[in-house]
Amino acid sequence: MRWSWVGLVAVVLACAGTRPELETPGPAKDVTWMFRVVDPEGQPVPGARVKVWRADLSQESALLATANAQGTGARILKPGWYAAEVQARGFVTAFRTDIRIAPESKPRMELSLARTAPLSGRVVDAEGNPVSDVRLRFVSSSVAAPVVETTSDAQGHFTFAGVSAGEGLLYSDKEEWSWQRLKVLTPQPELTVVMGRRSSLLVRVLGIDGHVAPNSSSFVSPIDRWVDLSHESERTPEGTVHLRLAAQRYRVTAVYVPHAGCWWKRSVDVDVLPGQQADVTVSFEDVARAGPWMGRAVTPDGKPLAGLRLLATALKAPEDKGPGGECETLTAPDGSFEWLGALARPHKLELRTQAAHRQMGVAEQAPSDMKGGPVVFRSPGTLVGRVLGPDGKPVPEYSVDWASFTEPEGRFSRELWASRTYSLIASAPNMAPTRVRVEGREHEVRTVPDIMLDAGHSVVGRVVEADGLTPVPQARVELVDPDDVDIRRSYFPHVLPADMAGGFRFDRVPRRRQYLRVNDEKTGTILYALGPGEDRVDLTLKPDGTLEGFVTDGARVPLAGVTVQVRCEAGLDASAKTDEAGHYVLRVPADRDCFVHASEEQLRDRAPWPRPPPLVFSPQPVVLSPRERERTDFVPRSAGATLRVHFPEPRERLEPFLVSGNARMPKSFAELKALQRSAFSIDPPSLTWRSDDPDVPGYQFLQKNFTFSHLPGKRFTLFVVEPQDTAFAVLRVPVDLIREETKSLPLRFPLESGGALLMD
């Protein structure tokens, strides 16, 4: 049975104005789902066991059915979207993730099973002795085939059940033994797996004189598989022996100190075999060393930079496989420095303070460029200043942009990465936080005017319903800075729950305009502009509107567990999930411009492999009055154009979205958020892989490839947003799509492609 796709239909059945409550749908009538289990020749498979469960529920909720002598069976199910597991002796377990049962239908499905292939053998050690209790797993190259597992017996014998024919990987592991990974082609009835004990690796480091260097160290990192890495090692006259290593390929990195204050690094790869000691030599004999490197660190106007930590890092060409190197020292009172063990290549030099490690300057030079002459260091861009209390005295403990400082004079520094306006947040215990806008310049140290903190003031209030009298107990009240209303920059929002009488009290409120925001799921919402002198307020909530409807696949099949979310201006969002009938009831903050989005993203990782194609929905605008009810039904978008967006590498918090038409570049956070609310989202990704596949990480959170599927053929504007040090880098790309085409769009990251910076 194939996955069913139909066109997008957004049916708005209500008109504006107050409406009576819509009828709550009754339970859907049960449907008899008939199935027939057959072998590859189409013959019935009697006794096959079929587990079937709703797609939004876990497999533990499955209902069981058994095929009769004719291979047929049945289960009474409610209409909906289901998955199934089919098992029978001698056959590979099969999964179906695309079972759609429409109301008042007579669904019939044929479930075909593939025969298993023999996979058995014996586990022995290097001497041919049996090894018992070895865990063996076979991972088929087909993601549709399940991972199967068995254990070797006392004689080392093992036999798999349910293995699919074809290529796969056989893993074997046991505590204190080296794991094995073999490529296997099934059927394979007489396989011998040779296991070895843990191994060791001797790393011998030779210095520039060709002898074993006593002042060296080494560490290893696995290349094949990041599991079971032992960090045990011991020093011997020959070098360092790394102990209890699993047999696999490793990258060995040796660190050698040619002279005090400098160290070199070189990496080589080595294969470690089971139950043996491997050895590898890392030599620095061929490394070109510079002569004495002397210089004097000065500012652009010639002043010495004294008593600072100076770090020099050797620069490498992109394809350079040679050693890396670093040197470190402290500059003398006249700014002078000297090294005897630097590599003969250009270096990046960084000056930092000893205590706070604040970067004071950068430069680039080769050791041969100058003999004792001045090296001019330019600031990478720094803001410096002081944090003072209301009495004008320095605050001893404080934070600036979440970096904590403890200095008697209240001084802080803040490194910059670009020339632009920065918004600094300063806070201290028992003080109200404050924000200051300052201009930062690359390669300049700029002094910020003293930041004055005060205790702020207290705001006492209560949250009441629309009648102005009835309290709203436990309402969640947010104190929000104006710059955070649309896109929150603060990582620590000031949120308090009201008491049982709806009362609340905020202390240390800044004496400037703020907002109080309540988004109560039962009573309503408010965004209240709090004046600098207001100390007492009553927050009267405006009742929500209600949007309800059904989410189906377009063939009347209800989709349970789909998230329906409303995204509104001022950060007033709400969400609901569809029930087993695909029905949702969603509160909508009243008198706000909102868009409703449906998504099955949270369902995808429940499904077994292979994952079905994603369901994608288009956003729908909605504006409701208080207590107004309206209905909107959602179905997935149909076949259309596909846009694939590719970036050079994965990055955290990279967010592409697609807006209909020729949208302009936003000029503020509010405009950016308005675009995001109305936008087409990327196809929901599968964040988890088969958890029992040993070579695949359990979670794939970062992406570099994004897809928008089933789009209408027309003009769109693609935006890519990436947080950028208190700002957001925004890239705008117009895109024209033709129906049914697939367009690939390779992009660089926003700041690398001329994107704009939005700052609060």
Side-chain angles (χ1 to χ4, degrees):
M1 182 175 182
R2 302 181 62 186
W3 193 266
S4 176
W5 295 96
V6 294
L8 169 68
V9 181
V11 184
V12 180
L13 299 180
C15 55
T18 303
R19 292 171 45 92
E21 291 199 7
L22 303 177
E23 277 188 31
T24 301
K29 293 182 179 179
D30 292 343
V31 172
T32 301
W33 175 60
M34 303 288 296
F35 63 84
R36 182 170 181 257
V37 184
V38 298
D39 63 16
E41 291 76 36
Q43 298 302 309
V45 180
R49 291 165 57 88
V50 178
K51 295 180 179 178
V52 59
W53 64 95
R54 215 169 69 201
D56 62 312
L57 302 178
S58 67
Q59 194 169 344
E60 284 70 27
S61 67
L63 302 173
L64 178 64
T66 304
N68 60 22
Q70 289 73 45
T72 62
R75 265 316 304 201
I76 296 177
L77 302 171
K78 292 188 181 301
W81 178 21
Y82 289 85
E85 177 190 82
V86 188
Q87 293 180 316
R89 186 181 296 276
F91 294 89
V92 179
T93 298
F95 291 94
R96 298 290 186 273
T97 57
D98 54 2
I99 301 173
R100 307 295 183 85
I101 299 177
E104 301 174 2
S105 63
K106 297 180 179 180
R108 296 177 180 274
M109 176 176 284
E110 186 167 275
L111 304 170
S112 180
L113 296 181
R115 287 191 172 85
T116 60
L119 178 56
S120 60
R122 192 164 180 252
V123 184
V124 298
D125 62 16
E127 287 75 38
N129 301 311
V131 183
S132 63
D133 300 318
V134 175
R135 182 190 183 200
L136 299 110
R137 284 173 286 177
F138 179 74
V139 182
S140 172
S141 59
S142 169
V143 295
V147 177
V148 291
E149 182 175 322
T150 190
T151 304
S152 63
D153 62 18
Q155 287 74 44
H157 294 292
F158 65 88
T159 300
F160 281 96
V163 170
S164 60
E167 191 176 87
L169 295 174
L170 176 65
Y171 295 87
S172 56
D173 58 83
K174 181 180 179 179
E175 190 173 354
E176 296 302 323
W177 292 70
S178 285
W179 68 276
Q180 288 274 19
R181 179 179 57 198
L182 301 174
K183 183 177 287 188
V184 174
L185 185 65
T186 60
Q188 188 74 244
E190 295 298 333
L191 181 68
T192 299
V193 178
V194 180
M195 295 279 287
R197 295 281 184 177
R198 292 294 182 103
S199 308
S200 60
L201 172 64
L202 169 64
V203 179
R204 189 182 298 106
V205 181
L206 302 184
I208 54 178
D209 58 1
H211 298 117
V212 173
N215 56 346
S216 65
S217 61
S218 62
F219 59 91
V220 299
S221 56
I223 296 175
D224 294 339
R225 190 179 176 207
W226 280 85
V227 294
D228 301 331
L229 177 62
S230 170
H231 296 282
E232 295 181 31
S233 64
E234 62 182 21
R235 293 285 299 185
T236 70
E238 287 188 90
T240 301
V241 179
H242 298 271
L243 305 170
R244 299 185 64 253
L245 296 178
Q248 62 172 334
R249 193 163 182 79
Y250 290 91
R251 179 151 296 145
V252 179
T253 300
V255 181
Y256 167 60
V257 181
H259 197 277
C262 293
W263 57 95
W264 300 344
K265 293 181 181 179
R266 171 171 269 175
S267 296
V268 298
D269 295 347
V270 61
D271 287 309
V272 174
L273 301 178
Q276 301 179 22
Q277 176 171 299
D279 66 85
V280 64
T281 298
V282 183
S283 176
F284 291 89
E285 293 177 89
D286 60 337
V287 177
R289 181 177 60 165
W293 184 4
M294 296 173 289
R296 193 163 52 85
V298 298
T299 63
D301 57 2
K303 295 179 180 179
L305 291 163
L308 297 174
R309 176 175 170 261
L310 177 58
L311 176 67
T313 304
L315 300 175
K316 299 177 69 172
E319 302 300 322
D320 189 358
K321 303 296 183 182
E326 292 182 340
C327 293
E328 184 176 359
T329 189
L330 292 178
T331 57
D334 63 348
S336 63
F337 62 88
E338 179 180 4
W339 287 302
L340 299 177
L343 294 173
R345 63 170 65 158
H347 285 64
K348 175 186 177 182
L349 293 93
E350 297 176 88
L351 275 173
R352 292 185 179 272
T353 60
Q354 294 187 62
H357 303 289
R358 174 164 60 93
Q359 193 172 46
M360 300 296 294
V362 293
E364 191 171 311
Q365 192 192 49
S368 58
D369 286 350
M370 208 169 288
K371 302 295 183 183
V375 181
V376 177
F377 284 84
R378 301 182 67 194
S379 167
T382 307
L383 296 174
V384 298
R386 295 191 305 166
V387 178
L388 307 179
D391 56 1
K393 296 180 179 179
V395 177
E397 294 183 12
Y398 50 95
S399 296
V400 177
D401 278 0
W402 310 287
S404 297
F405 296 87
T406 304
E407 289 194 1
E409 297 183 359
R411 299 192 181 278
F412 71 88
S413 66
R414 209 274 197 192
E415 294 179 16
L416 309 178
W417 309 109
S419 297
R420 60 176 176 85
T421 301
Y422 288 81
S423 178
L424 305 184
I425 300 177
S427 60
N430 302 315
M431 300 284 177
T434 191
R435 293 190 185 210
V436 294
R437 292 176 181 269
V438 294
E439 288 296 319
R441 290 289 180 265
E442 195 173 9
H443 302 308
E444 289 185 20
V445 178
R446 308 200 88 191
T447 300
V448 177
D450 289 344
I451 299 176
M452 304 291 293
L453 297 180
D454 60 45
H457 67 117
S458 296
V459 175
V460 177
R462 63 178 188 141
V463 185
V464 295
E465 296 186 17
D467 60 10
L469 299 173
T470 307
V472 182
Q474 300 296 307
R476 184 176 182 269
V477 187
E478 287 185 90
L479 177 65
V480 187
D481 190 275
D483 289 330
D484 290 339
V485 170
D486 294 293
I487 296 180
R488 184 184 305 283
R489 222 197 90 189
S490 173
Y491 295 132
F492 306 102
H494 203 170
V495 182
L496 288 176
D499 60 26
M500 295 306 295
F504 64 89
R505 176 191 176 99
F506 283 99
D507 294 318
R508 297 180 290 281
V509 177
R511 296 184 184 276
R512 63 183 188 278
R513 186 186 180 196
Q514 299 284 285
Y515 283 97
L516 293 173
R517 181 167 58 194
V518 179
N519 189 7
D520 189 77
E521 64 181 27
K522 295 181 180 179
T523 311
T525 63
I526 189 173
L527 182 70
Y528 181 83
L530 182 69
E534 282 191 273
D535 297 325
R536 182 174 293 275
V537 294
D538 283 346
L539 302 180
T540 303
L541 301 188
K542 180 181 290 188
D544 295 325
T546 301
L547 188 72
E548 69 171 301
F550 292 86
V551 181
T552 66
D553 73 343
R556 299 191 306 129
V557 175
L559 300 178
V562 172
T563 299
V564 184
Q565 182 186 45
V566 63
R567 303 174 188 171
C568 302
E569 58 184 341
L572 296 170
D573 301 344
S575 65
K577 286 188 181 296
T578 56
D579 61 17
E580 64 179 20
H583 181 250
Y584 72 91
V585 178
L586 176 68
R587 67 183 186 89
V588 178
D591 299 328
R592 298 281 181 181
D593 289 329
C594 305
F595 280 83
V596 184
H597 297 254
S599 173
E600 51 96 32
E601 181 174 358
Q602 296 185 11
L603 300 180
R604 298 197 58 70
D605 288 332
R606 291 183 181 273
W609 288 91
R611 296 282 165 79
L615 300 177
V616 289
F617 301 84
S618 294
Q620 300 296 322
V622 62
V623 179
L624 296 181
S625 302
R627 297 189 177 90
E628 179 183 4
R629 294 183 73 93
E630 191 170 289
R631 173 171 167 176
T632 298
D633 296 340
F634 287 90
V635 297
R637 295 199 299 268
S638 67
T642 298
L643 175 65
R644 303 187 189 279
V645 182
H646 311 279
F647 292 93
E649 62 185 14
R651 277 196 184 174
E652 191 175 6
R653 301 173 69 191
L654 191 67
E655 183 180 1
F657 60 88
L658 204 59
V659 178
S660 293
N662 193 16
R664 69 174 190 175
M665 177 68 79
K667 297 180 179 180
S668 65
F669 283 175
E671 289 186 11
L672 175 61
K673 196 64 176 179
L675 288 173
Q676 289 177 307
R677 287 196 299 270
S678 67
F680 290 77
S681 301
I682 60 171
D683 292 2
S686 293
L687 296 180
T688 61
W689 195 254
R690 300 185 295 179
S691 60
D692 42 8
D693 187 342
D695 270 350
V696 179
Y699 295 90
Q700 313 285 324
F701 286 116
L702 301 182
Q703 290 181 266
K704 67 175 183 178
N705 301 315
F706 302 86
T707 301
F708 300 87
S709 63
H710 308 299
L711 296 168
K714 62 176 184 177
R715 164 63 65 93
F716 289 93
T717 306
L718 173 71
F719 290 92
V720 183
V721 180
E722 185 176 23
Q724 199 71 36
D725 188 19
T726 77
F728 287 86
V730 183
L731 177 66
R732 177 186 176 274
V733 183
V735 180
D736 289 309
L737 296 178
I738 303 172
R739 184 174 176 81
E740 307 299 335
E741 80 165 323
T742 296
K743 177 174 286 188
S744 290
L745 196 61
L747 295 176
R748 293 180 297 163
F749 297 107
L751 277 189
E752 300 168 7
S753 307
L757 269 178
L758 288 186
M759 293 161 281
D760 56 7

